[in-house]
Amino acid sequence: MDAALIPEGAKRCSFPKFMLGIAIVGAVLLWGVYAMLLCWFKGLNQTNMNDYYGFALWIWADLAVIAVGGGAFFTGLLKYIFKIDELKNIINFAVIIGFICYSSALLILAIDIGQPLRGWFIFWHANVHSMLTEVAFCLSCYFAVLTIEFIPNILENRQLNKVPFFHHLAHNMHGVMAIFAATGAFLSFFHQGSLGGVAGVMYGRPFAFREGLLIWPWSFFLFTWSAAAFGPCFTLLVTRITEGVTGKKLVKDNVVHLLAKISGWMIFTYMIAKIIDTWYWAYYTAPGLGFELSHFYTSNGFYGYWILVAEVIVCGVIPGLLLINKSTRENPTFRLVAIVLAVIGVCLNRWVMVLQIMAVPVMPFDTWALYIPSWQEVATTILPVAYGIILIAVAYRYLPVFPQELELNRRSEVRES
Amino acid sequence: MIHDKKAHKYGMVIDLDKCTGCGTCAVSCMSENNVPFKEDESDKKDSITWMRVYRLTNNKPFPDTEVAFLPRPCQHCGGKGDHGHSPCVSVCPATATDYGYDTGIVSQIYTRCFGCRYCMAACPYHARYFNWWDPVWPEGMEKYLSPNVSPRMRGVVEKCSFCYHRYQLAREKAYASGSDEIPEADYQTACTTACPAGAIVFGDLNNPSHKVHQIVKPDPHPDPLNPDVVGKSRNPKVFRLLERLGTNPKVYYMSEREWVRKLGDHYLDGEWDKVKNVYGSASHE
Ligand code: SF4
Ligand code: SF4
């Protein structure tokens, strides 16, 4: 039915089967949209947030998608600036994932604020000292860059590409993509960092507060670094999932191994920095304010030392080592375990830097505050996931996302026959 | 316009030995400032309480149990080094909360706040409250609202303003009488005037003739051991909440009881013994 739109030579499932899949995910999406409308029209009383938990599940989701979406800027940087040419085979997909992550992040922010119609005040009455102002500016600009990076891929659709103007536009945009990749990397450095800064500058919250360099707390640099380190793992994970769902190999092993190796080294070096940061905070910063480390991890029903061990060792050092080591990296099972752990690790880090901060009591006579999100919060947090699945499905079906797809599958078809 | 030679620095000292925990300060604050309330107030985590009274205990078994009550308004923090970068002011992306260098009062601009709640996350005293609902008053009660204070809408943050409208009225009165000075008695917050025990003293910390200055005796110099801390009290019975963080609150507390003073901040093992008889709380060592 839609054969004329499908990239030439590519095999896709039947249209009804495709639509059935879209309908199922679409139902989840609608559920999320319903919850979103409730929040917009009835207000944030639809959530279980409260005056202790002003930042809750959404803000974690926001930081997490931005972190895992970091694969787009980092892969772009490697491909266009460091000229690692093999990565051209995965860059389209990295950009699409980044686009999904960032558009989701902006949507979440629009749901999260109490007065969505005043969202523009952040630009109009900008307080240049606030990390959130920096986040808003860089995030919006970077989303524009990602859109520009995504456009040539859309124009390569079989039918659109027949229009000479679109054909040439796509071609020329590819030619100047290095400029956008550089701009994207610059903007990402700042907004990833300023998201880390959001927590790090809160000197009234010893669990979050970090010393740093000039106006930037250490968490600024750690967030940028971790997004660059873990983002590619998410790109690889989604690629693996897409391969599983489509039953096809889409990216050659050498490309996957290369990205995994770079990610592994980034994770490993990040973990060293993270451990030094944690140690310095635990032994100097917090005690200097009268807090023992145990204050942050005991006397409550959820946040124990386990979360520190899980984030730093199990989902940090271990995946880093697995990806650095050639034999484990090139073993599909070990590699998958490593990238899954890594993605969990970075999400856990963002959780700690959003939710645990809110939970820890600061006044000596205050108590831990734990919170359970309402269904509206859960639905609006799942909303971007459903949206992402749909966008990936549509992009995969109609756009030449994976340059190696035809070659890889022709070979396998020949081999099979 | 009053051209004072020196900026004011309004603040208060609350005597925790006088406070009985009756909550009059909180009630008077709510009615003075048109603070809305919920139909069901059982869940305090989303109730708006500009002035909240905390219950402190020495955690000792009977018969040694002692209890104290600590009223907590916004502390009108001067921020690190007392330069006006309060934890909340420095983070607000839309400049919807601001530091008044002429008064030391931290303002909240309701019509500019877009409800990101970053300021709430940054405030260690939980002095900021979000309007989760639009305010609804029982029928007839809206007639009793104060005309001097704007009510707030859903989706914005609010907090104690040190009854700023009373400052404005006092300033106008002084101006009308041709005076340069706002007399101490002319600008008093609602909680101060309502407290039946007289536990709250309010005034200009910069003005040596004001009672609050005489009790607190604020040290104008930074703490030599922690330059972020300015305005420590030179009265050994007076302390501030979480002073070590460098937030520099303008709300001071006073107690004869050592265990009460100790609950004002966090101390590692052995630290308290070194500082307990020295004015203010511990320094960063
Ligand atoms: S107590 Fe909280 S709201 Fe008040 S000035 Fe300090 S940080 Fe801001
Ligand atoms: S909630 Fe309002 S006052 Fe607070 S930081 Fe956001 S915009 Fe500023």
Side-chain angles (χ1 to χ4, degrees):
Chain A
M1 201 172 155
D2 56 348
L5 289 166
I6 290 172
E8 215 160 355
K11 275 218 174 117
R12 297 290 181 262
C13 67
S14 71
F15 188 66
K17 191 173 165 193
F18 174 69
M19 284 315 289
L20 182 70
I22 296 286
I24 294 169
V25 185
V28 179
L29 183 98
L30 284 179
W31 179 55
V33 170
Y34 173 60
M36 177 179 86
L37 293 175
L38 279 180
C39 293
W40 272 340
F41 289 102
K42 293 196 164 180
L44 294 183
N45 51 48
Q46 298 295 303
T47 71
N48 277 352
M49 285 193 274
N50 56 48
D51 293 322
Y52 274 68
Y53 263 102
F55 284 176
L57 190 70
W58 288 332
I59 297 295
W60 163 71
D62 200 72
L63 265 68
V65 290
I66 291 176
V68 296
F73 93 84
F74 191 60
T75 316
L77 183 78
L78 295 171
K79 155 82 180 72
Y80 292 107
I81 310 298
F82 293 106
K83 307 270 182 231
I84 303 181
D85 203 48
E86 289 98 311
L87 296 179
K88 68 172 184 278
N89 299 309
I90 201 161
I91 185 76
N92 287 343
F93 201 46
V95 165
I96 294 174
I97 295 170
F99 180 86
I100 292 167
C101 290
Y102 279 80
S103 46
S104 304
L106 289 171
L107 178 72
I108 294 174
L109 287 180
I111 308 172
D112 176 73
I113 55 180
Q115 284 288 334
L117 296 179
R118 292 185 189 168
W120 55 282
F121 283 15
I122 201 167
F123 302 107
W124 195 253
H125 300 292
N127 168 13
V128 291
H129 301 291
S130 171
M131 285 287 166
L132 213 53
T133 308
E134 195 172 311
V135 171
F137 273 91
C138 294
L139 204 70
S140 319
C141 294
Y142 182 53
F143 180 61
V145 169
L146 272 172
T147 311
I148 293 170
E149 289 184 337
F150 189 16
I151 287 173
N153 197 218
I154 299 175
L155 296 180
E156 278 163 3
N157 168 274
R158 198 159 133 199
Q159 296 305 324
L160 288 177
N161 212 249
K162 282 183 185 158
V163 181
F165 174 73
F166 288 157
H167 175 81
H168 293 303
L169 183 63
H171 184 77
N172 286 321
M173 283 181 85
H174 274 304
V176 293
M177 212 37 93
I179 297 170
F180 291 107
T183 316
F186 176 80
L187 290 169
S188 293
F189 178 84
F190 281 100
H191 78 248
Q192 297 282 0
S194 40
L195 276 171
V198 162
V201 297
M202 294 199 287
Y203 64 90
R205 296 267 190 177
F207 184 73
F209 175 63
R210 294 291 187 278
E211 279 132 330
L213 189 68
L214 303 172
I215 58 163
W216 297 288
W218 296 127
S219 52
F220 182 100
F221 304 99
L222 288 176
F223 264 50
T224 303
W225 201 337
S226 58
F230 293 97
C233 278
F234 187 66
T235 311
L236 291 176
L237 179 63
V238 181
T239 307
R240 181 71 196 77
I241 293 171
T242 312
E243 288 182 337
V245 173
T246 58
K248 284 190 201 128
K249 185 127 186 70
L250 299 169
V251 180
K252 281 187 187 169
D253 278 344
N254 68 326
V255 180
V256 171
H257 293 166
L258 178 67
L259 199 56
K261 182 177 168 186
I262 296 172
S263 184
W265 278 107
M266 288 293 291
I267 294 175
F268 186 71
T269 48
Y270 163 75
M271 286 327 300
I272 294 174
K274 171 77 191 167
I275 289 168
I276 295 173
D277 171 73
T278 308
W279 172 80
Y280 187 84
W281 161 79
Y283 285 95
Y284 290 95
T285 312
L289 304 169
F291 289 82
E292 274 166 22
L293 188 63
S294 60
H295 178 88
F296 306 117
Y297 296 100
T298 50
S299 317
N300 77 95
F302 184 71
Y303 293 104
Y305 286 107
W306 67 267
I307 202 159
L308 189 62
V309 175
E311 181 202 331
V312 177
I313 308 293
V314 182
C315 300
V317 174
I318 291 178
L321 290 175
L322 286 175
L323 293 180
I324 287 176
N325 184 297
K326 189 168 190 289
S327 58
T328 44
R329 175 173 70 236
E330 294 186 357
N331 175 312
T333 313
F334 276 121
R335 188 172 63 240
L336 185 63
V337 169
I339 59 179
V340 169
L341 284 180
V343 170
I344 295 174
V346 72
C347 293
L348 209 51
N349 171 265
R350 294 331 191 230
W351 180 282
V352 167
M353 293 306 270
V354 173
L355 286 141
Q356 193 173 350
I357 290 174
M358 300 293 121
V360 175
V362 187
M363 287 186 289
F365 43 85
D366 223 340
T367 47
W368 279 80
L370 298 177
Y371 121 111
I372 296 171
S374 70
W375 75 261
Q376 289 91 331
E377 285 174 83
V378 175
T380 35
T381 304
I382 292 175
L383 165 69
V385 180
Y387 149 72
I389 293 173
I390 293 177
L391 197 76
I392 288 178
V394 172
Y396 167 75
R397 190 171 176 86
Y398 298 122
L399 306 178
V401 175
F402 297 101
Q404 295 174 317
E405 183 190 349
L406 295 185
E407 183 192 347
L408 281 166
N409 293 289
R410 206 177 305 124
R411 271 205 210 127
S412 66
E413 275 157 28
V414 171
R415 249 203 321 272
E416 272 165 29
S417 60
Chain B
M1 177 83 199
I2 292 178
H3 299 285
D4 282 350
K5 285 170 206 80
K6 203 172 170 196
H8 302 294
K9 194 170 162 190
Y10 286 106
M12 57 174 60
V13 56
I14 306 179
D15 189 337
L16 303 184
D17 298 340
K18 284 188 184 162
C19 173
T20 61
C22 68
T24 308
C25 53
V27 174
S28 68
C29 170
M30 289 186 84
S31 64
E32 174 79 16
N33 291 294
N34 299 334
V35 175
F37 43 88
K38 302 177 291 180
E39 213 166 292
D40 173 7
E41 280 284 353
S42 50
D43 181 5
K44 288 290 172 212
K45 287 225 166 80
D46 53 18
S47 290
I48 302 181
T49 46
W50 289 13
M51 175 63 112
R52 176 165 172 195
V53 181
Y54 284 85
R55 182 176 176 275
L56 317 183
T57 149
N58 64 351
N59 263 330
K60 288 201 177 145
F62 179 81
D64 300 320
T65 317
E66 278 189 48
V67 167
F69 294 94
L70 183 141
R72 186 251 41 217
C74 164
Q75 311 282 305
H76 293 274
C77 307
K80 280 195 174 175
D82 214 16
H83 299 306
H85 300 293
S86 329
C88 53
V89 170
S90 53
V91 300
C92 172
T95 333
T97 178
D98 209 5
Y99 190 82
Y101 288 93
D102 51 343
T103 55
I105 294 175
V106 174
S107 68
Q108 179 69 17
I109 309 163
Y110 311 122
T111 44
R112 195 184 281 173
C113 170
F114 66 97
C116 69
R117 305 182 298 287
Y118 189 12
C119 54
M120 291 170 61
C123 169
Y125 305 102
H126 293 290
R128 294 184 155 265
Y129 296 91
F130 186 70
N131 281 275
W132 302 98
W133 291 269
D134 266 319
V136 182
W137 280 276
E139 209 177 315
M141 198 175 157
E142 66 282 348
K143 296 199 186 98
Y144 294 90
L145 293 181
S146 162
N148 292 325
V149 182
S150 59
R152 284 73 58 184
M153 68 200 298
R154 187 178 85 197
V156 304
V157 165
E158 60 179 72
K159 67 163 194 74
C160 153
S161 67
F162 267 177
C163 292
Y164 193 76
H165 56 289
R166 291 190 173 206
Y167 169 71
Q168 289 171 315
L169 292 173
R171 199 176 51 177
E172 278 165 23
K173 189 176 157 197
Y175 179 73
S177 65
S179 160
D180 251 6
E181 286 254 345
I182 297 174
E184 186 177 7
D186 278 11
Y187 173 34
Q188 289 294 320
T189 60
C191 52
T192 309
T193 50
C195 174
I200 307 177
V201 174
F202 181 81
D204 184 356
L205 288 160
N206 276 352
N207 190 334
S209 70
H210 282 206
K211 204 169 155 205
V212 69
H213 178 98
Q214 291 158 3
I215 299 173
V216 172
K217 300 186 191 77
D219 187 344
H221 305 293
D223 178 351
L225 295 171
N226 184 358
D228 291 337
V229 176
V230 182
K232 261 179 121 148
S233 172
R234 284 175 285 191
N235 177 342
K237 302 288 177 261
V238 173
F239 63 98
R240 290 186 286 184
L241 278 184
L242 300 169
E243 192 167 61
R244 303 176 75 174
L245 299 183
T247 49
N248 288 314
K250 279 188 272 298
V251 175
Y252 292 78
Y253 293 93
M254 178 160 69
S255 178
E256 294 281 340
R257 290 172 284 180
E258 189 188 315
W259 71 265
V260 173
R261 295 201 300 274
K262 191 179 175 194
L263 270 179
D265 215 329
H266 291 270
Y267 301 96
L268 301 181
D269 284 349
E271 278 183 336
W272 174 250
D273 291 325
K274 283 192 229 149
V275 300
K276 64 182 175 187
N277 294 319
V278 184
Y279 64 82
S281 53
S283 297
H284 186 118
E285 286 175 88

